């Protein structure tokens, strides 16, 4: 009981030290003294954070693609295109580290699309945007397509 309280206290009071001690215990195979409850929670959070990052980057990517395609403000094109390139680069990097995230993309695309289309319509009510994404949804198209050429 005291060890559980001590482990939980360390996790709550000094997260970095908790991670270092947990790693040391795992390497030493000292499984009797590992704070499994918080370790499991941290691993779950890590997976969630990867999915959250993909959602966020996809949101920004789609938003800027839409603006670049449908908002005729040439002075803004360069900024939107730079943002598109940056989001694509970051998504590529994340997918290289976690290829299984590619399977998550079809699951979230419609939800992200609905959020994006609502926001761009609110930001640019004077322009017409399509109700549906008009291009392929596969990751290669999203990361490489030049939709406005």
């Amino acid at each position: 009981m005291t060890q559980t309280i001590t482990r939980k206290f360390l996790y709550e009071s000094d997260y970095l030290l908790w991670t270092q001690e947990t790693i040391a215990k795992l390497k030493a195979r000292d499984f009797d003294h590992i704070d499994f409850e918080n370790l499991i929670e941290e691993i779950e959070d890590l997976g969630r954070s990867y999915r959250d990052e993909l959602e966020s980057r996809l949101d920004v990517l789609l938003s800027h693609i839409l603006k670049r395609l449908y908002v005729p403000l040439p002075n803004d094109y360069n900024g939107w295109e730079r943002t598109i390139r940056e989001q694509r680069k970051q998504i590529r990097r994340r997918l290289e580290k976690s290829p299984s995230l590619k399977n998550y993309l079809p699951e979230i695309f419609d939800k992200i699309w609905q959020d994006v289309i609502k926001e761009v319509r609110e930001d640019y009510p004077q322009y017409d945007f399509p109700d549906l994404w008009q291009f392929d949804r596969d990751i290669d198209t999203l990361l490489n397509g030049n939709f406005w050429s």
Side-chain angles (χ1 to χ4, degrees):
M1 179 71 171
T2 305
Q3 285 181 344
T4 301
I5 292 171
T6 304
R7 283 184 235 143
K8 199 170 213 47
F9 175 76
L10 183 59
Y11 176 79
E12 293 170 0
S13 65
D14 191 337
Y15 180 77
L16 179 60
L17 181 58
W18 175 85
T19 61
Q20 292 169 335
E21 286 192 6
T22 300
I23 290 166
K25 289 172 187 171
L26 286 166
K27 286 180 177 179
R29 305 218 180 309
D30 182 9
F31 302 125
D32 291 335
H33 298 104
I34 291 177
D35 177 6
F36 280 107
E37 182 180 324
N38 287 313
L39 179 59
I40 291 167
E41 183 179 318
E42 288 301 316
I43 293 170
E44 288 173 341
D45 285 348
L46 182 60
R48 256 190 309 275
S49 72
Y50 282 15
R51 289 187 303 271
D52 290 348
E53 179 187 0
L54 179 63
E55 290 178 21
S56 176
R57 293 194 181 283
L58 180 62
D59 185 291
V60 173
L61 176 63
L62 292 177
S63 173
H64 282 77
I65 289 172
L66 278 174
K67 288 185 267 189
R68 177 58 183 86
L69 284 170
Y70 297 101
V71 179
L73 297 174
N75 289 338
D76 293 333
Y77 289 174
N78 185 270
W80 291 332
E81 290 174 17
R82 282 194 323 247
T83 300
I84 290 165
R85 286 192 303 273
E86 180 63 22
Q87 295 309 308
R88 285 174 165 174
K89 177 178 74 175
Q90 295 303 327
I91 290 170
R92 258 188 231 96
R93 287 180 178 172
R94 176 52 64 207
L95 293 176
E96 286 171 6
K97 292 178 184 175
S98 301
S100 65
L101 280 173
K102 288 179 185 178
N103 301 327
Y104 185 57
L105 185 65
E107 187 179 322
I108 62 169
F109 190 92
D110 287 333
K111 177 190 173 299
I112 300 299
W113 172 258
Q114 290 305 314
D115 291 344
V116 166
I117 197 67
K118 181 179 181 228
E119 288 175 7
V120 295
R121 283 178 173 157
E122 287 174 4
D123 292 343
Y124 298 93
Q126 67 274 35
Y127 301 109
D128 291 322
F129 296 95
D131 291 328
L132 301 173
W133 177 251
Q134 299 176 331
F135 306 99
D136 288 338
R137 296 172 173 213
D138 66 280
I139 194 67
D140 290 329
T141 300
L142 289 170
L143 296 183
N144 300 302
N146 188 355
F147 306 110
W148 49 89
S149 288

